[in-house]
Amino acid sequence: MALRAALRNKCGLSSLLSQLSSCSSHGGVRVSPAFIAQRRNNSSSSAVKVDFDQSTGVAVLHMQSPPVNSLSLDFLTEFCINVEKLEMDKSCRGLIITSSQPKVFSAGLDIMEMYGKSPERCGVFWKAVQEMWLKLYSSNMVTIAAINGSSPAGGCLMSLTCDYRIMADNPRFSIGLNETQLGIVAPFWFKETLVNTVGHRHAEMALELGLLYNPSEALKIGMVDQLVPEDQVLTTAAQTMKKWLAIPDHARQITKSMMRKPTVEKLVSEREADINNFVSFITKDSIQKSLRMYIEMLKKRKG
Amino acid sequence: MALRAALRNKCGLSSLLSQLSSCSSHGGVRVSPAFIAQRRNNSSSSAVKVDFDQSTGVAVLHMQSPPVNSLSLDFLTEFCINVEKLEMDKSCRGLIITSSQPKVFSAGLDIMEMYGKSPERCGVFWKAVQEMWLKLYSSNMVTIAAINGSSPAGGCLMSLTCDYRIMADNPRFSIGLNETQLGIVAPFWFKETLVNTVGHRHAEMALELGLLYNPSEALKIGMVDQLVPEDQVLTTAAQTMKKWLAIPDHARQITKSMMRKPTVEKLVSEREADINNFVSFITKDSIQKSLRMYIEMLKKRKG
Amino acid sequence: MALRAALRNKCGLSSLLSQLSSCSSHGGVRVSPAFIAQRRNNSSSSAVKVDFDQSTGVAVLHMQSPPVNSLSLDFLTEFCINVEKLEMDKSCRGLIITSSQPKVFSAGLDIMEMYGKSPERCGVFWKAVQEMWLKLYSSNMVTIAAINGSSPAGGCLMSLTCDYRIMADNPRFSIGLNETQLGIVAPFWFKETLVNTVGHRHAEMALELGLLYNPSEALKIGMVDQLVPEDQVLTTAAQTMKKWLAIPDHARQITKSMMRKPTVEKLVSEREADINNFVSFITKDSIQKSLRMYIEMLKKRKG
């Protein structure tokens, strides 16, 4: 059932990009055809904005890297620095992650970080992706994803690391680990994060077909925990956070660690091998060629 | 969905105790504010009553330790001796576990066994909890939990060890591993038993939030297998038992062992370390303090 | 819920055989009471028929071993040779497995291969069962089971190895690993295949009770992915195949391997021990006796 429905969304990133383009043309925001290649020129403090409320102990991290919060090396670096700061701050007990960009939570890994780059650079990039996952998946804070837009690939991964996922109930939004549709492969720790969330069988289909789910489908298989109207995503996240913070921190943290430690430790112990795997895969001629074709396709679509 | 509903029950043990107090005042049974500290003075044969029907090969074990079948060291010792006897009796093929106490299956571990006790005594207590789990989770008998009342924490664990769970469809009853709400932590084998039953994601949320589910919610996530009207729990258990006993014992037993052996062996091999973990955690000043506050709160409520 | 419904089907193989007998008497096909013992006399190329369409890259393998596609040593050998040929053919990207026999996909392992045979012969047979599983579960092709009839035991296993399962929506058909009902035990790799498909808890109940599910129940627990009217099973399989083949092969294959490798490697490394286990179990006097009684029962039913 879910498969058939999800397959309707199967054009994947193309569909998402098309949707975003369409939105932007209506919305008056010009979106460059190679927008996923854009690097932010602003200062390192502007790709994300953190609002920390000392009275509640809850921080809200707004991703605000136009147009679609692509996870570039710069973005990931800034993101991780901010999460690390909050993690070290004993007064911060909860973190809500959301997007300031319209219609998208995060479009995932920046494809331009993987195209035409040196192996060394690719390795540095991948290490930053690992770092983002490690920081979030093992965070001592309560983490809630306030998914107020589409969240493919790396954007979905970021959501999956959180303790709870609230998604805007807009059927135009989609979420999923759709890497195979681009000819690339989600590594084992993406896979294990997904298996831990939706179980082995749904993960198998989702990953092999690179499925993107609309909110209802995502809720049905457990990829997200709750749907609310678009304008209530953030307020619901704040309310839900209160319930999580009612639990004594030490008991919740030990329990969270017990649930996630095996998965975290596996990446920690295989981190270098995982980087090598990624670099040797992504720098293959055949993979570079398909990435180039994909980028050309995006340009033509714009043209 | 389940979360939001379950959170309504989140006051946890307090809620349960309040409910039980309320019941008892209506029912005319006086419940001491420190009832969970009560130790039975009766002979060792009276905390549980076993009815074994030779003609069917099925034993019904009634937990009858007022007021709420708390799992004290004495209770666990008597419980395990009785289960062991049945296990050794080749003519006994099936075991139904139920409660003779009104409105509660078992309130779980006796908090007074964990408060103000010597490390040695805490270790002895924990070993008895392990023993109960080991005996039930690896039993060669068909085990069915006839859950005719609330079943938090250790009571839930006992239910989860069984092959099948039938719960009374009374929305005032609840079930769940709500340890974090008390500031304590369910150990890895509680966790694995729950993961084996409801999957990784539901276990993660249930354990981190210490969720108590009403019967409908418990059924929905698979924490129990079937709901029936309160007065049909035991008869349905007996009928279900017939179906399980229709399967050749040796084939069912080998299959059960195949499913559960990895989890059982993990505790067997880490038993001492698990006791040490528990003792060093529970005897911490901070944990003892929060247990004391909890007990005070119960007394005040009574007062 | 699923249990109670599934238990209605619990008479298992007997029920299936009865149903098949009944069908055959209506349908005019004579079914020998010992039909599961029948060995095909035809040439080795006729137990299965393969239609390979070069233009689509999809092969359809029709099992056509009357009356019920029992998995005998001869059948398995021919089956594996054909799958191997397709696997080696780079132009073949997808494989649909279906049955040419009315009302049955495959009745599973041929009981006569397990009764009254030498340990050596039993070992050879078991190795062929392993081979079938290994070839299918780790196939680089997209594999779809077009389940157009009942599929107990080994027939269910074959279905479970596929990437996707479409079943005819006929309530008289059933599917499940019902080995315990015959007093035999599904080995660990049957178990892990089922756990990977329906999760630990459903697998536990399904295997311990030897449950046979009707199509609706099978869909509900995820044992099959989709139900369609009987006459649309094959066309739906072909349509679904197109969607799977839209994913770049290399990305899908690496992902599939990542999901299934741990399970495959476990059997590969324990293959000899698994054969020894099977042989020593199946050649036990008690097991042989119960197989004999089962075969007698079938003969009497016919008589």
Side-chain angles (χ1 to χ4, degrees):
Chain A
M1 304 282 270
L3 172 65
R4 277 172 297 166
L7 280 168
R8 290 196 302 270
N9 300 326
K10 244 194 47 176
C11 30
L13 265 192
S14 312
S15 159
L16 172 69
L17 296 173
S18 153
Q19 176 187 319
L20 292 168
S21 299
S22 149
C23 298
S24 63
S25 60
H26 292 308
V29 183
R30 280 189 54 101
V31 177
S32 155
F35 65 79
I36 45 174
Q38 290 183 339
R39 201 72 51 73
R40 299 184 50 80
N41 294 320
N42 335 31
S43 80
S44 69
S45 62
S46 57
V48 306
K49 178 166 78 80
V50 174
D51 294 328
F52 177 42
D53 183 341
Q54 288 272 1
S55 70
T56 60
V58 178
V60 180
L61 186 156
H62 304 264
M63 300 185 284
Q64 52 178 13
S65 181
V68 291
N69 294 325
S70 291
L71 307 179
S72 66
L73 179 56
D74 284 357
F75 182 94
L76 288 168
T77 304
E78 187 179 340
F79 182 92
C80 286
I81 288 171
N82 278 278
V83 171
E84 179 72 10
K85 272 186 204 164
L86 296 170
E87 192 77 45
M88 306 291 282
D89 182 348
K90 292 296 171 198
S91 67
C92 182
R93 301 172 61 213
L95 169 64
I96 294 169
I97 302 175
T98 194
S99 165
S100 296
Q101 300 312 114
K103 302 186 189 306
V104 69
F105 179 73
S106 163
L109 303 189
D110 188 337
I111 200 171
M112 296 311 286
E113 298 283 12
M114 301 185 267
Y115 176 67
K117 292 287 187 294
S118 70
E120 291 69 30
R121 168 74 190 207
C122 286
V124 171
F125 172 64
W126 197 245
K127 193 167 188 176
V129 180
Q130 292 176 333
E131 194 64 27
M132 181 265 283
W133 181 85
L134 285 168
K135 281 212 176 345
L136 290 177
Y137 203 58
S138 64
S139 174
N140 270 324
M141 298 180 283
V142 173
T143 52
I144 295 181
I147 310 167
N148 52 351
S150 283
S151 195
C156 176
L157 179 73
M158 184 188 282
S159 304
L160 292 174
T161 63
C162 291
D163 293 314
Y164 198 73
R165 283 162 288 287
I166 299 161
M167 189 168 186
D169 194 7
N170 180 336
R172 299 194 59 192
F173 296 162
S174 63
I175 184 168
L177 294 174
N178 60 323
E179 281 78 357
T180 54
Q181 290 196 37
L182 272 173
I184 58 180
V185 176
F188 76 88
W189 39 288
F190 284 49
K191 181 261 287 181
E192 300 208 351
T193 311
L194 186 59
V195 169
N196 288 349
T197 309
V198 303
H200 191 280
R201 175 58 183 155
H202 281 303
E204 186 175 64
M205 284 221 288
L207 291 173
E208 292 186 26
L209 290 166
L211 296 178
L212 286 173
Y213 300 85
N214 68 38
S216 301
E217 296 157 358
L219 180 68
K220 196 176 170 190
I221 68 163
M223 188 175 271
V224 300
D225 298 304
Q226 192 176 346
L227 303 183
V228 297
E230 213 162 333
D231 58 356
Q232 296 170 26
V233 172
L234 212 48
T235 52
T236 307
Q239 286 158 10
T240 305
M241 182 61 82
K242 283 183 197 166
K243 295 169 185 169
W244 282 76
L245 294 182
I247 306 297
D249 280 345
H250 71 279
R252 185 190 50 71
Q253 289 163 355
I254 294 171
T255 304
K256 181 173 179 175
S257 168
M258 180 172 63
M259 297 302 299
R260 299 187 168 192
K261 208 176 180 181
T263 310
V264 169
E265 284 183 343
K266 201 169 161 193
L267 178 58
V268 169
S269 72
E270 300 181 24
R271 198 163 176 180
E272 283 309 311
D274 181 63
I275 292 174
N276 293 339
N277 273 348
F278 172 75
V279 171
S280 73
F281 178 82
I282 208 71
T283 56
K284 271 183 190 161
D285 284 350
S286 58
I287 301 302
Q288 286 292 308
K289 188 180 162 191
S290 72
L291 291 178
R292 182 165 54 77
M293 285 170 63
Y294 183 70
I295 294 166
E296 300 281 332
M297 182 267 284
L298 293 177
K299 284 184 185 167
K300 272 183 197 141
R301 179 172 296 178
K302 181 66 185 179
Chain B
M1 302 281 268
L3 172 65
R4 277 171 297 164
L7 281 167
R8 290 196 302 270
N9 300 325
K10 244 194 49 176
C11 30
L13 266 191
S14 312
S15 158
L16 173 68
L17 296 174
S18 154
Q19 176 187 320
L20 292 169
S21 300
S22 149
C23 297
S24 64
S25 60
H26 292 310
V29 182
R30 279 188 55 100
V31 177
S32 154
F35 65 79
I36 43 174
Q38 291 184 340
R39 199 72 50 74
R40 300 184 51 76
N41 293 321
N42 334 31
S43 80
S44 69
S45 61
S46 55
V48 305
K49 178 166 75 81
V50 174
D51 293 328
F52 176 41
D53 182 342
Q54 288 272 3
S55 70
T56 59
V58 178
V60 180
L61 186 156
H62 304 265
M63 298 185 286
Q64 52 178 13
S65 181
V68 290
N69 293 325
S70 290
L71 306 180
S72 64
L73 179 56
D74 285 355
F75 181 94
L76 288 167
T77 304
E78 187 180 341
F79 183 90
C80 285
I81 287 171
N82 278 279
V83 171
E84 178 72 9
K85 273 186 205 163
L86 297 169
E87 192 78 44
M88 304 292 281
D89 181 347
K90 291 295 170 197
S91 67
C92 182
R93 300 173 61 213
L95 170 63
I96 294 170
I97 302 175
T98 195
S99 165
S100 296
Q101 301 312 114
K103 303 187 188 306
V104 68
F105 180 73
S106 163
L109 303 190
D110 188 336
I111 200 171
M112 295 313 285
E113 298 282 12
M114 302 184 266
Y115 177 66
K117 292 285 186 296
S118 70
E120 291 68 31
R121 167 74 190 208
C122 287
V124 170
F125 173 63
W126 197 245
K127 193 168 187 176
V129 180
Q130 292 177 333
E131 194 64 27
M132 181 266 284
W133 182 85
L134 286 168
K135 281 213 176 343
L136 290 177
Y137 203 57
S138 65
S139 173
N140 270 324
M141 299 180 283
V142 173
T143 52
I144 295 181
I147 310 167
N148 52 351
S150 283
S151 195
C156 177
L157 178 73
M158 185 188 282
S159 305
L160 291 173
T161 62
C162 291
D163 293 313
Y164 198 74
R165 281 162 289 287
I166 299 161
M167 189 168 186
D169 194 8
N170 180 337
R172 298 194 60 191
F173 296 163
S174 63
I175 184 169
L177 293 174
N178 60 322
E179 280 79 358
T180 54
Q181 290 196 35
L182 271 173
I184 58 179
V185 176
F188 76 87
W189 40 288
F190 283 50
K191 181 261 287 180
E192 300 208 352
T193 311
L194 186 59
V195 169
N196 287 350
T197 309
V198 303
H200 191 280
R201 175 57 183 156
H202 281 301
E204 187 175 64
M205 283 220 289
L207 291 173
E208 291 186 25
L209 290 167
L211 297 178
L212 286 173
Y213 300 86
N214 68 37
S216 301
E217 297 157 358
L219 179 68
K220 196 174 170 191
I221 68 163
M223 188 175 272
V224 299
D225 298 303
Q226 192 176 345
L227 302 183
V228 297
E230 213 162 333
D231 58 355
Q232 295 169 26
V233 173
L234 212 47
T235 51
T236 307
Q239 287 157 11
T240 305
M241 182 60 82
K242 284 183 197 166
K243 294 169 185 169
W244 282 77
L245 294 182
I247 305 298
D249 281 344
H250 71 279
R252 185 190 50 71
Q253 288 162 355
I254 295 171
T255 304
K256 181 173 179 176
S257 168
M258 181 171 64
M259 296 303 299
R260 299 187 168 192
K261 207 177 181 181
T263 310
V264 169
E265 284 183 342
K266 201 169 160 194
L267 177 57
V268 169
S269 73
E270 299 181 25
R271 199 163 175 181
E272 283 309 311
D274 181 63
I275 292 174
N276 293 339
N277 273 348
F278 172 75
V279 172
S280 72
F281 179 82
I282 209 72
T283 56
K284 271 184 191 161
D285 285 349
S286 58
I287 302 301
Q288 285 292 309
K289 186 180 163 191
S290 71
L291 291 179
R292 182 165 55 78
M293 286 169 63
Y294 183 69
I295 293 166
E296 301 281 332
M297 181 267 285
L298 292 178
K299 284 184 187 166
K300 272 183 197 142
R301 179 172 297 177
K302 182 65 185 179
Chain C
M1 304 281 268
L3 172 64
R4 279 171 295 166
L7 280 169
R8 291 195 301 270
N9 300 325
K10 244 193 48 178
C11 32
L13 265 192
S14 313
S15 157
L16 173 69
L17 296 173
S18 154
Q19 176 187 321
L20 292 168
S21 300
S22 148
C23 298
S24 62
S25 60
H26 292 309
V29 183
R30 278 189 55 101
V31 177
S32 155
F35 65 79
I36 44 175
Q38 290 184 339
R39 200 71 52 73
R40 298 184 50 79
N41 294 321
N42 335 32
S43 81
S44 68
S45 62
S46 56
V48 306
K49 179 165 75 80
V50 174
D51 292 329
F52 176 42
D53 183 340
Q54 288 272 0
S55 71
T56 59
V58 178
V60 181
L61 186 155
H62 304 265
M63 299 185 284
Q64 52 178 15
S65 181
V68 291
N69 293 324
S70 291
L71 306 180
S72 65
L73 179 56
D74 284 357
F75 181 94
L76 288 167
T77 304
E78 188 180 339
F79 183 91
C80 285
I81 288 171
N82 277 278
V83 170
E84 178 73 9
K85 272 185 204 163
L86 297 169
E87 191 79 44
M88 304 291 282
D89 182 347
K90 292 295 170 197
S91 66
C92 182
R93 301 173 60 213
L95 170 63
I96 294 169
I97 302 176
T98 195
S99 165
S100 296
Q101 301 312 114
K103 303 186 189 308
V104 68
F105 180 72
S106 163
L109 304 190
D110 188 336
I111 200 171
M112 295 313 285
E113 298 283 12
M114 300 184 267
Y115 176 67
K117 292 286 187 294
S118 70
E120 291 69 29
R121 169 73 190 208
C122 286
V124 171
F125 173 63
W126 197 246
K127 193 168 188 175
V129 180
Q130 291 177 334
E131 194 64 27
M132 181 265 284
W133 181 85
L134 285 168
K135 281 213 176 343
L136 289 177
Y137 203 58
S138 65
S139 173
N140 270 325
M141 299 180 283
V142 173
T143 52
I144 295 181
I147 311 167
N148 52 352
S150 284
S151 195
C156 176
L157 178 73
M158 185 188 281
S159 305
L160 292 173
T161 63
C162 290
D163 292 314
Y164 197 73
R165 282 162 288 287
I166 299 160
M167 189 169 186
D169 193 8
N170 181 335
R172 299 194 60 191
F173 296 162
S174 62
I175 184 168
L177 294 174
N178 59 323
E179 281 78 358
T180 53
Q181 290 196 35
L182 272 172
I184 58 179
V185 176
F188 76 87
W189 40 288
F190 283 50
K191 181 262 287 181
E192 300 208 351
T193 311
L194 186 59
V195 169
N196 288 349
T197 309
V198 302
H200 191 280
R201 175 57 184 155
H202 282 302
E204 186 174 63
M205 282 220 289
L207 291 173
E208 291 186 26
L209 290 167
L211 297 177
L212 286 173
Y213 301 85
N214 68 37
S216 300
E217 296 157 357
L219 180 68
K220 196 175 170 190
I221 68 163
M223 188 175 271
V224 300
D225 298 303
Q226 193 176 345
L227 303 184
V228 298
E230 213 162 333
D231 59 355
Q232 295 170 27
V233 172
L234 212 47
T235 51
T236 306
Q239 286 158 10
T240 304
M241 182 60 81
K242 283 184 197 165
K243 295 169 185 168
W244 283 76
L245 294 181
I247 306 297
D249 281 344
H250 71 279
R252 185 189 49 71
Q253 288 162 355
I254 294 171
T255 304
K256 181 174 180 176
S257 168
M258 180 172 62
M259 297 302 299
R260 298 187 168 191
K261 208 177 180 180
T263 310
V264 169
E265 283 182 344
K266 200 169 161 194
L267 177 58
V268 169
S269 72
E270 300 180 23
R271 198 163 177 181
E272 283 309 311
D274 181 63
I275 292 173
N276 293 340
N277 274 348
F278 171 75
V279 171
S280 72
F281 178 82
I282 208 72
T283 56
K284 272 184 190 161
D285 284 350
S286 58
I287 302 301
Q288 286 293 307
K289 188 180 163 191
S290 72
L291 291 179
R292 182 165 54 77
M293 285 169 61
Y294 183 68
I295 295 167
E296 299 281 332
M297 181 268 284
L298 293 177
K299 284 184 185 166
K300 272 183 197 141
R301 179 173 297 177
K302 182 66 184 178

